[in-house]
């Protein structure tokens, strides 16, 4: 197999630099909107800003999802896809929840979400990664600025920018409980980071990311022309998050955990190749080897 | 000298508990408002919430104060009252700036501030502590929930709750640059903390406070009945912060440092006694031995 040319080199040992994005943000043809597609102004907002929030999108599914979390916590005890707090046993992360829960699987293929995703990516899509994340009260730690695509490219071999993370708020996300901060518009550039990927980087990077984190000087340059925007909302709020958008998060000193369910959809025309960082691909729960197109469920 | 009875015991080795406040919040007689006093509704807000923000109070003094910071950074090089960043040399804290700058000294005795402080505390006041604090961009660390009074009582011997911190924003304070979060109303209770004060606790507590920090279970109880409120504003915004109000701060992951000038005013009827924690008093730049009443300047 001919190796794919790396148009987004990062962690190659070179100095950090800001490159241009070489890919569209929106691949869809807006003239043929699907039944549950986004409106033109929503698509334009996403294209310009790299994210789109739809408040109060599906509050009715949240109680079932929370019940599923509790069930999975019991059923998955000891499994590598369940990460709990060492002291309290509380859920920190459930990886691949769609594989363990029909409710989650159905939601991931709900046409009210899937139509929009396929519209943005202009193709069939598969589930590249999925998790439930809980940022615990009082001790949830901050997360430095980074682009998810940088990691997925270097560590998972995602060739181009043609993926979107869709996440649903399961608890109130406020300015006080360690919310997600994004840099609107930052998805139009690409920060090629310094350093080199080490073996099994994911074993530590999920707790404290060091590689793939732009330096303060670089972020100062990025933020000289952009503001920060915090993504807040009540349970059931949906967020579309372009794969290359820079984001970070302060710590959670409040008494309220911040919980979200994340689906990372990747275009079937953007299936992964050999990871560009030269390490073996990450485990199945971080880079799903099942790259078959998702079939939308029928709404009853 | 008869030892003063400790009505706010903390860090005595007992279990943590929430006690009632035994002191008024506002000592002043509101029927005799001074020339630059607060209005009745402002006093009531402060009494209920434990803080009061006056947006856009003195934006005109900020450029001079920033020039003074730069000058003090040069003049105080090597002095214990100047703390700089080890890597960049940027200012982190200037203690006792009133002692090194006429501009700061004059401001601390400006009747537009001092009238309000004396009105709240119902007496003459002295400067118990003062600093300029800069929370640096990207790396400014979070600060856990605590009451300043608890430390001042245990480590400096402040007998009663009759002090107020007045702080002026020197840079924009936003939801993104590690702002101060307060728990409105929390000043009406007192958290008697567990643990015991160690010798020279201040040498580490200014970087990372461990003693005098209520446990998560206690904060959960406090926050069950109160929301968190972030204090934001532009340069020149003034904040009155009751000495026993619980406050904390998330880290600063933004590109903007957060700078403030703080004056801690204590009533002359509340002068410190032997510290209740049994250790010697803290250095002069944390607990000012000059307890003479401040004389207001004449406005020109």
């Amino acid at each position: 197999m001919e190796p794919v040319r790396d148009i987004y080199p990062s962690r190659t040992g070179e100095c950090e630099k800001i490159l241009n994005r070489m890919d569209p943000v929106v691949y869809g043809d807006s003239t043929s909107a699907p039944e549950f597609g986004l409106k033109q102004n929503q698509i334009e907002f996403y294209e310009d800003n790299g994210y789109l929030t739809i408040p109060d999108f599906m509050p009715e599914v949240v109680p079932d999802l929370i019940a599923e979390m509790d069930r999975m916590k019991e059923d998955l005890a000891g499994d590598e896809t369940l990460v709990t707090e060492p002291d309290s046993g509380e859920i920190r992360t459930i990886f691949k929840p769609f594989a363990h829960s029909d409710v989650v699987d159905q939601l991931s293929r709900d046409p009210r979400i899937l139509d929009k995703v396929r519209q943005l990516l202009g193709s069939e899509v598969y589930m590249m990664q999925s998790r439930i994340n809980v940022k615990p009260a009082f001790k949830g730690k901050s997360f430095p600025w980074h682009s998810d695509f940088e990691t997925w490219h270097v560590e998972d071999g995602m060739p181009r920018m043609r993926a979107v993370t869709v996440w649903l708020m399961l608890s109130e996300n406020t300015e006080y409980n360690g919310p997600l901060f994004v840099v609107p518009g930052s998805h139009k550039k690409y920060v090629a980071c310094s350093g080199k990927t080490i073996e099994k980087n994911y074993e530590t990077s999920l707790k404290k990311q060091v590689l793939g984190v732009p330096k303060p000087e670089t972020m100062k340059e990025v933020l000289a022309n952009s503001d920060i925007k915090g993504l807040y909302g009540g349970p059931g709020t949906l967020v579309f998050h372009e794969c290359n958008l820079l984001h970070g998060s302060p710590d959670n000193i409040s008494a309220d955990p911040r919980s979200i369910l994340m689906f990372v959809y990747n275009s079937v025309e953007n299936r992964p190749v050999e990871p560009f960082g030269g390490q073996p691909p990450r485990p199945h729960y971080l880079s799903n080897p099942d790259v078959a197109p998702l079939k939308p469920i029928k709404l009853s």
Side-chain angles (χ1 to χ4, degrees), chain A:
Chain A
M1 193 170 89
E2 186 89 12
V4 175
R5 191 166 73 89
D6 185 0
I7 63 164
Y8 294 118
S10 186
R11 308 187 211 167
T12 59
E14 300 281 313
C15 286
E16 191 159 294
K17 49 179 175 272
I18 300 179
L19 306 176
N20 286 321
R21 182 185 180 110
M22 312 285 276
D23 293 309
V25 176
V26 175
Y27 288 77
D29 170 8
S30 63
T31 57
S32 60
E35 185 180 358
F36 297 103
L38 295 166
K39 295 188 195 108
Q40 192 54 34
N41 65 335
Q42 291 178 308
I43 294 175
E44 281 164 17
F45 185 93
Y46 175 84
E47 184 152 32
D48 288 347
N49 293 283
Y51 75 94
L52 175 72
T53 302
I54 309 182
D56 210 35
F57 184 72
M58 292 187 153
E60 72 283 1
V61 302
V62 172
D64 277 0
L65 289 168
I66 287 172
E68 283 294 274
M69 278 171 72
D70 291 339
R71 185 191 56 74
M72 283 188 271
K73 183 175 133 184
E74 303 305 320
D75 289 1
L76 293 175
D79 193 274
E80 60 181 352
T81 57
L82 175 72
V83 183
T84 53
E85 292 289 330
D87 48 355
S88 65
E90 299 283 310
I91 296 171
R92 187 76 171 249
T93 303
I94 301 174
F95 289 105
K96 269 185 123 167
F98 62 86
H100 309 297
S101 161
D102 278 345
V103 176
V104 177
D105 172 59
Q106 300 265 315
L107 182 67
S108 74
R109 298 186 291 112
D110 190 307
R112 290 172 294 176
I113 295 176
L114 210 50
D115 270 8
K116 297 174 177 62
V117 168
R118 299 200 292 192
Q119 183 188 22
L120 290 173
L121 301 182
S123 69
E124 300 278 321
V125 299
Y126 73 93
M127 183 64 69
M128 184 266 180
Q129 191 194 103
S130 174
R131 353 178 182 165
I132 290 170
N133 260 351
V134 180
K135 186 160 192 165
F138 300 115
K139 59 188 170 188
K141 287 280 163 251
S142 68
F143 225 88
W145 300 106
H146 68 284
S147 146
D148 288 336
F149 174 78
E150 194 273 352
T151 292
W152 299 339
H153 182 71
V154 172
E155 301 190 22
D156 299 327
M158 182 186 282
R160 308 295 289 243
M161 296 176 186
R162 196 173 179 176
V164 61
T165 300
V166 177
W167 53 278
L168 186 75
M169 299 183 187
L170 300 180
S171 70
E172 187 102 19
N173 283 226
T174 74
E175 68 205 88
Y176 303 120
N177 63 356
L180 203 75
F181 289 170
V182 301
V183 184
S186 61
H187 62 303
K188 293 176 189 166
K189 297 283 179 180
Y190 175 70
V191 181
C193 294
S194 55
K196 281 213 172 232
T197 305
I198 55 170
E199 204 179 331
K200 296 198 175 176
N201 180 45
Y202 61 87
E203 288 183 353
T204 54
S205 72
L206 293 174
K207 281 180 195 135
K208 183 171 160 56
Q209 188 169 350
V210 175
L211 293 167
V213 172
K215 292 179 193 298
E217 307 88 88
T218 309
M219 281 310 300
K220 213 165 170 175
E221 200 177 326
V222 170
L223 288 166
N225 305 308
S226 318
D227 287 328
I228 297 170
K229 170 84 183 161
L231 304 187
Y232 314 135
T237 296
L238 199 72
V239 179
F240 291 80
H241 177 142
E242 208 279 336
C243 61
N244 186 46
L245 186 69
L246 287 168
H247 59 289
S249 177
D251 38 11
N252 181 5
I253 67 167
S254 84
D256 304 310
R258 185 174 72 88
S259 311
I260 62 169
L261 166 61
M262 270 170 52
F263 297 128
V264 180
Y265 297 97
N266 188 22
S267 167
V268 294
E269 293 172 29
N270 194 36
R271 285 177 172 131
V273 296
E274 290 278 295
F276 294 92
Q279 299 289 338
R282 296 193 298 172
H284 68 101
Y285 56 84
L286 290 170
S287 184
N288 188 3
D290 179 359
V291 295
L294 293 176
K295 289 193 203 333
I297 59 158
K298 281 213 164 53
L299 291 181
S300 51

